[in-house]
Amino acid sequence: MEPKKMYINGEWVEGSSGKTTSAINPANGEVLAEITLGTVEDARKAIAAAKESFYTTREWRDMDSQTRGDYILKIADAIDAERDEFARIDSMDHGKPLREAECDVDDAIHTFRYYASLIKAPYGGVYDVNEGFGKMHSFTVHEPVGVCGLITPWNYPLLMGVWKLAPALAAGNSVVYKPSSNCVLSSIKLFEIFEKVGLPKGCANLVLGPGGTIGNELAENNDVDMVTFTGSTEVGQSIMRAAAGNVKKIGLELGGKSPNVIFADADIEGAVEWAMIGIFLNQGEICSAGSRIIIEESIKDEFVKRLAERANAITFGNPLDNPDMGPLVSESHMNKVLSYIKKGIDEGAALVCGGERYTEGECAKGYYVRPTVFDNCTDDMTIVKEEIFGPVVTVQTFKTEQEAIDMANNTEYGLAGAVFTADGARALRVIKEIRAGITWINCYNPCFNEAPWGGYKKSGIGRELGVHGLEEYQEIKQININLNPGIVGWYEH
Ligand code: NAD
């Protein structure tokens, strides 16, 4: 099997070490493809190509924004034309049910279209100012940052990259993109599209390989002007340290342990359904997962009974056949999730359902874990404190509104959170108290291109999506014009 290659300076190349790795289908352990493995030397070549493209040839950077926007639209159209193939690739490579992969591809198409339209729209501020120096006019222009290193995780293989690539390219930057080694196939296909639509040489580069070497190089190299990262908080911290050398701009989208607060007056059936979407969508491999259910004591037993019934009814199977749930991304990740489940039991949480691998029929060869609900949990338990990134939810109870808020905020993370209640004033009161960047009232997990996405506390720095998502990849320059040129007379006073 010829290995899939990296895309550096407009060419498909193999890694300088000559080594390869295998893309594994987590539903059955079969090899999907061989992938070339890049090295630090390859990352440096890609950075040099991006630097040349941004600072010397300048074709992409200097292109007028209408034409650049047209290229971004062409990318969206080309993905749209191959929507089914993209979805099939992510479903097989990652393990998510096909219909979820289709939603991801639709989101990716919309993200490119959204940033094409934003970059085509007039933007910037103009101010009339009058101060000590006389009448002045002040306005702002937005400029690309320069060479951007983009690093992503495996849970949304295509989409996490697109949330960065679309605004970074629309803004006129040159980029070096490194997806997670676990799932690279849809990123390779995306770069085939970049080549097909004719992006100028060197403005978009793809490197493949281990984060500890290649990813770290993107964070550390002084020729990189900005690094944006989506992934675990631990790696995010190491990126911050590595980026200090040239005080790079950074964007960090990190982990979460998000509260789902449910009051007794909530529509219980709706709350159960949304709690399922909150924790079991994408096998629970979602940064914003509602992994901590915090529920008013009086309805807890009824809620947990219904949630367990629904969780036990979840179907498994080959992701391409659209079961409710697919396998976890890899054997090692499955083992990590199972070890958290064991820890939950050891630390005294009550296992209500799940808690083990699912091995029926053809699933025996895959990395499936049953949806797991733990009752009687307390704030000091490992499964309540740490991000598990799998289909595991904890349940805790409260008696008062303040107790619910305190419990929701008793975490190092601050990515997401939700409140379920029929009382509108209480919903707003509580959601405003939750220290998190993405929140929902009477729903869980919907996300939109137009709205900014990002975390408080150890869940990150900056925002993706929306207008903020474009501004992350722009420098904003203030230009001040003196409307009365001549002698100011400052020193005569
Ligand atoms: P990870 O941190 O292990 O890896 C993420 C990326 O960083 C990968 O490409 C990896 O190769 C690279 N990397 C690893 N070590 C590195 C280093 N020292 N320097 C630079 N890069 C390095 O995370 P993961 O297991 O791929 O993904 C799961 C995590 O991602 C979870 O914590 C999840 O919450 C988080 N996530 C956050 C968001 C968000 O929007 N906040 C979205 C999706 C996933």
Side-chain angles (χ1 to χ4, degrees):
M1 214 184 273
E2 194 179 334
K4 301 260 182 194
K5 296 177 180 161
M6 303 183 283
Y7 191 67
I8 298 177
N9 207 20
E11 285 178 15
W12 292 98
V13 295
E14 284 187 23
S16 54
S17 72
K19 291 190 182 146
T20 62
T21 183
S22 304
I24 305 289
N25 183 341
N28 51 29
E30 284 170 13
V31 174
L32 291 168
E34 285 301 312
I35 316 285
T36 195
L37 264 183
T39 61
V40 167
E41 194 187 326
D42 300 314
R44 287 184 185 149
K45 279 184 199 155
I47 292 166
K51 186 179 173 192
E52 166 101 5
S53 145
F54 190 81
Y55 290 101
T56 308
T57 55
R58 300 178 53 129
E59 192 184 348
W60 185 246
R61 165 188 180 179
D62 287 348
M63 194 178 278
D64 70 273
S65 55
Q66 298 301 323
T67 312
R68 203 180 321 117
D70 286 343
Y71 273 97
I72 303 290
L73 284 176
K74 275 190 222 162
I75 294 169
D77 291 345
I79 300 173
D80 207 352
E82 296 198 65
R83 173 185 184 264
D84 293 348
E85 181 58 7
F86 267 107
R88 208 180 62 83
I89 289 174
D90 261 4
S91 180
M92 287 199 307
D93 200 12
H94 172 268
K96 62 181 73 201
L98 187 62
R99 66 179 177 286
E100 292 188 26
E102 285 165 353
C103 289
D104 295 357
V105 182
D106 290 342
D107 192 336
I109 296 164
H110 289 145
T111 305
F112 275 111
R113 293 205 173 121
Y114 175 74
Y115 284 110
S117 61
L118 267 196
I119 205 67
K120 282 167 174 264
Y123 196 67
V126 182
Y127 318 90
D128 264 326
V129 286
N130 197 353
E131 51 86 85
F133 291 105
K135 182 92 176 138
M136 310 274 279
H137 198 70
S138 178
F139 68 100
T140 53
V141 290
H142 292 212
E143 298 174 344
V145 177
V147 174
C148 300
L150 317 176
I151 306 170
T152 57
W154 44 259
N155 63 329
Y156 285 84
L158 175 68
L159 194 56
M160 289 298 97
V162 168
W163 281 10
K164 297 187 189 308
L165 286 160
L169 288 171
N173 296 285
S174 290
V175 304
V176 180
Y177 173 46
K178 194 209 93 64
S180 164
S181 308
N182 269 332
C183 298
V184 298
L185 298 178
S186 56
S187 298
I188 294 171
K189 187 159 180 62
L190 180 64
F191 273 70
E192 287 168 6
I193 280 176
F194 289 174
E195 182 185 31
K196 198 161 101 190
V197 304
L199 290 193
K201 194 173 103 165
C203 77
N205 303 276
L206 173 70
V207 290
L208 305 171
T213 52
I214 295 187
N216 185 61
E217 182 63 22
L218 293 182
E220 209 168 53
N221 193 303
N222 285 345
D223 285 336
V224 177
D225 300 297
M226 172 176 194
V227 60
T228 67
F229 168 81
T230 302
S232 61
T233 296
E234 195 187 5
V235 174
Q237 289 169 318
S238 101
I239 293 212
M240 264 183 116
R241 285 188 287 269
N246 62 335
V247 194
K248 278 181 190 62
K249 284 189 78 166
I250 51 175
L252 300 174
E253 296 287 340
L254 309 178
K257 192 73 189 173
S258 302
N260 184 359
V261 178
I262 303 166
F263 285 89
D265 64 354
D267 163 14
I268 194 162
E269 213 175 311
V272 168
E273 212 53 38
W274 282 111
M276 297 275 294
I277 293 170
I279 186 62
F280 299 137
L281 198 72
N282 209 40
Q283 293 76 241
E285 296 163 327
I286 303 192
C287 53
S288 58
S291 51
R292 290 186 296 137
I293 289 173
I294 296 170
I295 189 162
E296 196 160 347
E297 200 175 68
S298 58
I299 59 160
K300 191 264 286 179
D301 287 345
E302 174 65 15
F303 181 91
V304 168
K305 187 171 143 269
R306 291 197 196 195
L307 182 65
E309 272 166 20
R310 295 284 288 109
N312 280 329
I314 272 184
T315 60
F316 301 89
N318 189 318
L320 293 176
D321 297 334
N322 263 326
D324 290 334
M325 208 184 251
L328 298 187
V329 71
S330 66
E331 188 169 17
S332 64
H333 187 58
M334 175 189 71
N335 288 333
K336 185 174 160 199
V337 170
L338 291 172
S339 75
Y340 269 116
I341 291 172
K342 182 172 177 308
K343 206 161 220 167
I345 296 167
D346 291 348
E347 290 182 6
L351 181 66
V352 180
C353 65
E356 59 186 2
R357 258 183 104 160
Y358 178 85
T359 52
E360 309 265 312
E362 59 170 4
C363 294
K365 286 192 253 160
Y367 314 131
Y368 295 81
V369 172
R370 287 181 190 270
T372 300
V373 179
F374 275 112
D375 197 359
N376 299 343
C377 296
T378 50
D379 274 356
D380 56 339
M381 290 178 178
T382 308
I383 54 168
V384 175
K385 288 197 288 199
E386 295 184 12
E387 184 183 44
I388 299 174
F389 220 55
V392 181
V393 68
T394 60
V395 179
Q396 296 173 263
T397 56
F398 66 86
K399 287 201 185 85
T400 66
E401 187 176 307
Q402 191 56 47
E403 226 185 313
I405 292 167
D406 292 345
M407 217 178 265
N409 285 334
N410 192 10
T411 168
E412 294 184 324
Y413 294 108
L415 189 59
V419 175
F420 286 79
T421 173
D423 178 341
R426 174 159 64 192
L428 274 179
R429 209 164 51 230
V430 174
I431 216 77
K432 275 171 65 57
E433 285 302 316
I434 292 183
R435 302 282 299 157
I438 309 148
T439 60
W440 296 278
I441 293 175
N442 293 331
C443 60
Y444 206 107
N445 261 341
C447 138
F448 315 96
N449 293 126
E450 298 84 351
W453 177 275
Y456 289 19
K457 296 154 78 177
K458 279 192 178 175
S459 289
I461 297 175
R463 292 292 178 271
E464 297 201 299
L465 301 180
V467 175
H468 299 270
L470 181 64
E471 286 182 347
E472 291 279 319
Y473 295 95
Q474 293 176 320
E475 297 284 13
I476 301 177
K477 179 178 286 171
Q478 180 188 124
I479 301 178
N480 302 305
I481 311 165
N482 179 5
L483 298 180
N484 301 299
I487 294 164
V488 179
W490 178 261
Y491 293 105
E492 288 166 17
H493 297 297

